[in-house]
Amino acid sequence: MIMHRPARLALIVPMLLLQGCLALTPNGPPSVIETLAAADSALERGDIEQARMGYERALEQSPALVSPHFQLGIIAYGRGDDPAALEHFDAALERDPGHVLATYNLAVVHLQQARSLLDRHERLAPISAGRPDLIRIRQAIGALGRSAAGTRE
């Protein structure tokens, strides 16, 4: 069957218009996998702020994920934001109770807080803090905190 020129144009023009529309349509937002990969890459480059924003975007895309919470906990702890670190490590453990690194890092943050509170107690109440049992507790927690955290003091 031979088509006449106007009939062929009638088929070609809509097809060209559809292809043009497809070419102008954006691909959409990056997938959660792409978002996580970009955040991980930023973290590896040392761009902490870009990594933080990426992990937060990943959580907006998929709130049930564990790794963004864990990484945000690491970032928060590195910045000295213990409350945010605790929140993110707890969130990681809510989603995956067996997450070993989140458990460990949560303990490290608590140890750091215990050391700070015991130091404060010693400054506020030196006589009470001088009791032998409290001295031993401070020494034990101090040793644990130094060997576990070692990264921030």
Side-chain angles (χ1 to χ4, degrees), residues 10-104:
L11 291 174
I12 293 174
V13 170
M15 198 168 64
L16 289 173
L17 286 173
L18 284 174
Q19 283 189 333
C21 288
L22 288 174
L24 294 175
T25 303
N27 292 334
S31 71
V32 70
I33 301 292
E34 293 167 325
T35 301
L36 282 173
D40 288 342
S41 177
L43 191 60
E44 287 174 17
R45 289 190 317 272
D47 189 346
I48 303 301
E49 187 58 24
Q50 190 69 33
R52 184 192 60 76
M53 291 187 307
Y55 292 128
E56 287 175 353
R57 270 194 305 277
L59 286 174
E60 288 170 7
Q61 291 173 280
S62 187
L65 290 174
V66 175
S67 66
H69 278 294
F70 175 75
Q71 297 293 28
L72 287 166
I74 295 291
I75 290 169
Y77 182 73
R79 289 184 166 174
D81 186 354
D82 289 351
L86 291 171
E87 179 183 327
H88 286 295
F89 292 139
D90 279 333
L93 288 169
E94 284 173 12
R95 288 155 179 78
D96 179 5
H99 196 287
V100 174
L101 291 175
T103 302
Y104 172 81

